[in-house]
mmCIF file of all heavy atoms in Angstrom:
data_model
loop_
_atom_site.group_PDB
_atom_site.id
_atom_site.type_symbol
_atom_site.label_atom_id
_atom_site.label_comp_id
_atom_site.label_asym_id
_atom_site.label_seq_id
_atom_site.Cartn_x
_atom_site.Cartn_y
_atom_site.Cartn_z
ATOM 1 N N GLU O 36 92.611 79.223 83.688
ATOM 2 C CA GLU O 36 93.399 77.995 83.789
ATOM 3 C C GLU O 36 92.572 76.758 84.123
ATOM 4 O O GLU O 36 92.963 75.651 83.798
ATOM 5 C CB GLU O 36 94.534 78.194 84.802
ATOM 6 C CG GLU O 36 95.527 79.210 84.246
ATOM 7 C CD GLU O 36 96.654 79.558 85.191
ATOM 8 O OE1 GLU O 36 96.869 78.808 86.164
ATOM 9 O OE2 GLU O 36 97.311 80.588 84.954
ATOM 10 N N ARG O 37 91.449 76.938 84.764
ATOM 11 C CA ARG O 37 90.634 75.757 85.079
ATOM 12 C C ARG O 37 89.467 75.620 84.112
ATOM 13 O O ARG O 37 89.114 74.527 83.707
ATOM 14 C CB ARG O 37 90.075 75.850 86.503
ATOM 15 C CG ARG O 37 91.147 75.772 87.566
ATOM 16 C CD ARG O 37 90.535 75.825 88.965
ATOM 17 N NE ARG O 37 91.580 76.082 89.932
ATOM 18 C CZ ARG O 37 92.349 75.149 90.482
ATOM 19 N NH1 ARG O 37 92.138 73.877 90.202
ATOM 20 N NH2 ARG O 37 93.301 75.471 91.334
ATOM 21 N N LEU O 38 88.832 76.754 83.749
ATOM 22 C CA LEU O 38 87.628 76.663 82.923
ATOM 23 C C LEU O 38 87.908 76.973 81.452
ATOM 24 O O LEU O 38 87.017 76.913 80.620
ATOM 25 C CB LEU O 38 86.540 77.600 83.477
ATOM 26 C CG LEU O 38 86.196 77.393 84.964
ATOM 27 C CD1 LEU O 38 85.105 78.348 85.414
ATOM 28 C CD2 LEU O 38 85.756 75.947 85.227
ATOM 29 N N HIS O 39 89.158 77.335 81.143
ATOM 30 C CA HIS O 39 89.587 77.609 79.768
ATOM 31 C C HIS O 39 88.710 78.642 79.066
ATOM 32 O O HIS O 39 88.380 78.502 77.895
ATOM 33 C CB HIS O 39 89.681 76.299 78.958
ATOM 34 C CG HIS O 39 90.555 75.301 79.653
ATOM 35 N ND1 HIS O 39 91.893 75.510 79.884
ATOM 36 C CD2 HIS O 39 90.262 74.125 80.252
ATOM 37 C CE1 HIS O 39 92.392 74.503 80.574
ATOM 38 N NE2 HIS O 39 91.422 73.641 80.820
ATOM 39 N N LEU O 40 88.345 79.662 79.842
ATOM 40 C CA LEU O 40 87.627 80.800 79.263
ATOM 41 C C LEU O 40 88.654 81.928 79.159
ATOM 42 O O LEU O 40 89.088 82.481 80.164
ATOM 43 C CB LEU O 40 86.455 81.196 80.171
ATOM 44 C CG LEU O 40 85.368 80.129 80.310
ATOM 45 C CD1 LEU O 40 84.453 80.425 81.485
ATOM 46 C CD2 LEU O 40 84.561 80.020 79.012
ATOM 47 N N PHE O 41 89.035 82.243 77.929
ATOM 48 C CA PHE O 41 90.207 83.112 77.758
ATOM 49 C C PHE O 41 89.872 84.564 77.425
ATOM 50 O O PHE O 41 90.773 85.347 77.145
ATOM 51 C CB PHE O 41 91.122 82.526 76.668
ATOM 52 C CG PHE O 41 91.673 81.180 77.046
ATOM 53 C CD1 PHE O 41 91.349 80.046 76.311
ATOM 54 C CD2 PHE O 41 92.493 81.051 78.159
ATOM 55 C CE1 PHE O 41 91.850 78.804 76.670
ATOM 56 C CE2 PHE O 41 92.995 79.807 78.527
ATOM 57 C CZ PHE O 41 92.669 78.677 77.789
ATOM 58 N N SER O 42 88.579 84.922 77.428
ATOM 59 C CA SER O 42 88.279 86.318 77.042
ATOM 60 C C SER O 42 88.794 87.315 78.070
ATOM 61 O O SER O 42 89.208 88.411 77.719
ATOM 62 C CB SER O 42 86.781 86.495 76.819
ATOM 63 O OG SER O 42 86.091 86.318 78.030
ATOM 64 N N ALA O 43 88.771 86.939 79.349
ATOM 65 C CA ALA O 43 89.327 87.837 80.367
ATOM 66 C C ALA O 43 90.842 87.663 80.359
ATOM 67 O O ALA O 43 91.343 86.547 80.398
ATOM 68 C CB ALA O 43 88.753 87.500 81.738
ATOM 69 N N ARG O 44 91.553 88.790 80.268
ATOM 70 C CA ARG O 44 93.019 88.739 80.123
ATOM 71 C C ARG O 44 93.730 89.276 81.357
ATOM 72 O O ARG O 44 93.178 90.101 82.067
ATOM 73 C CB ARG O 44 93.461 89.590 78.928
ATOM 74 C CG ARG O 44 93.383 88.892 77.605
ATOM 75 C CD ARG O 44 92.051 89.182 76.932
ATOM 76 N NE ARG O 44 91.845 88.356 75.764
ATOM 77 C CZ ARG O 44 91.854 88.827 74.518
ATOM 78 N NH1 ARG O 44 92.072 90.090 74.273
ATOM 79 N NH2 ARG O 44 91.636 88.005 73.507
ATOM 80 N N TYR O 45 94.957 88.836 81.526
ATOM 81 C CA TYR O 45 95.791 89.380 82.586
ATOM 82 C C TYR O 45 96.542 90.592 82.047
ATOM 83 O O TYR O 45 97.255 90.495 81.058
ATOM 84 C CB TYR O 45 96.795 88.329 83.079
ATOM 85 C CG TYR O 45 97.640 88.850 84.218
ATOM 86 C CD1 TYR O 45 97.205 88.708 85.533
ATOM 87 C CD2 TYR O 45 98.832 89.518 83.982
ATOM 88 C CE1 TYR O 45 97.954 89.224 86.587
ATOM 89 C CE2 TYR O 45 99.584 90.035 85.027
ATOM 90 C CZ TYR O 45 99.136 89.882 86.322
ATOM 91 O OH TYR O 45 99.868 90.402 87.355
ATOM 92 N N GLY O 46 96.356 91.736 82.712
ATOM 93 C CA GLY O 46 97.090 92.925 82.295
ATOM 94 C C GLY O 46 98.028 93.394 83.391
ATOM 95 O O GLY O 46 99.241 93.360 83.260
ATOM 96 N N CYS O 47 97.434 93.816 84.507
ATOM 97 C CA CYS O 47 98.242 94.409 85.580
ATOM 98 C C CYS O 47 98.161 93.613 86.873
ATOM 99 O O CYS O 47 99.085 93.646 87.679
ATOM 100 C CB CYS O 47 97.758 95.835 85.838
ATOM 101 S SG CYS O 47 96.039 95.901 86.386
ATOM 102 N N GLY O 48 97.041 92.943 87.093
ATOM 103 C CA GLY O 48 96.854 92.198 88.349
ATOM 104 C C GLY O 48 96.574 93.099 89.543
ATOM 105 O O GLY O 48 96.539 92.641 90.675
ATOM 106 N N THR O 49 96.349 94.392 89.305
ATOM 107 C CA THR O 49 96.145 95.311 90.431
ATOM 108 C C THR O 49 94.853 96.126 90.328
ATOM 109 O O THR O 49 94.680 97.100 91.053
ATOM 110 C CB THR O 49 97.325 96.310 90.535
ATOM 111 O OG1 THR O 49 97.391 97.042 89.303
ATOM 112 C CG2 THR O 49 98.650 95.624 90.793
ATOM 113 N N GLY O 50 93.995 95.783 89.405
ATOM 114 C CA GLY O 50 92.727 96.513 89.291
ATOM 115 C C GLY O 50 92.826 97.798 88.486
ATOM 116 O O GLY O 50 91.878 98.573 88.467
ATOM 117 N N HIS O 51 93.944 98.036 87.826
ATOM 118 C CA HIS O 51 94.119 99.306 87.132
ATOM 119 C C HIS O 51 93.781 99.286 85.638
ATOM 120 O O HIS O 51 93.479 100.326 85.084
ATOM 121 C CB HIS O 51 95.569 99.788 87.270
ATOM 122 C CG HIS O 51 95.888 100.332 88.619
ATOM 123 N ND1 HIS O 51 96.351 99.545 89.644
ATOM 124 C CD2 HIS O 51 95.794 101.579 89.126
ATOM 125 C CE1 HIS O 51 96.529 100.293 90.720
ATOM 126 N NE2 HIS O 51 96.203 101.525 90.438
ATOM 127 N N CYS O 52 93.897 98.132 84.974
ATOM 128 C CA CYS O 52 93.871 98.181 83.508
ATOM 129 C C CYS O 52 92.553 97.714 82.881
ATOM 130 O O CYS O 52 92.267 98.056 81.741
ATOM 131 C CB CYS O 52 95.013 97.344 82.929
ATOM 132 S SG CYS O 52 94.723 95.566 82.996
ATOM 133 N N GLY O 53 91.767 96.925 83.597
ATOM 134 C CA GLY O 53 90.470 96.506 83.082
ATOM 135 C C GLY O 53 90.505 95.361 82.087
ATOM 136 O O GLY O 53 89.461 94.949 81.572
ATOM 137 N N ALA O 54 91.690 94.800 81.803
ATOM 138 C CA ALA O 54 91.766 93.720 80.813
ATOM 139 C C ALA O 54 91.052 92.453 81.299
ATOM 140 O O ALA O 54 90.617 91.629 80.507
ATOM 141 C CB ALA O 54 93.225 93.399 80.510
ATOM 142 N N CYS O 55 90.929 92.310 82.617
ATOM 143 C CA CYS O 55 90.392 91.071 83.192
ATOM 144 C C CYS O 55 88.917 91.187 83.551
ATOM 145 O O CYS O 55 88.388 90.319 84.250
ATOM 146 C CB CYS O 55 91.185 90.733 84.446
ATOM 147 S SG CYS O 55 90.925 91.976 85.722
ATOM 148 N N VAL O 56 88.259 92.244 83.102
ATOM 149 C CA VAL O 56 86.876 92.494 83.546
ATOM 150 C C VAL O 56 85.926 91.364 83.141
ATOM 151 O O VAL O 56 85.961 90.867 82.021
ATOM 152 C CB VAL O 56 86.381 93.861 82.995
ATOM 153 C CG1 VAL O 56 84.860 93.933 82.961
ATOM 154 C CG2 VAL O 56 86.937 94.993 83.853
#
Side-chain angles (χ1 to χ4, degrees):
Chain O
E36 293 176 16
R37 293 182 194 275
L38 306 181
H39 306 297
L40 296 165
F41 297 116
S42 66
R44 276 94 190 250
Y45 182 89
C47 62
T49 60
H51 285 89
C52 76
C55 66
V56 158

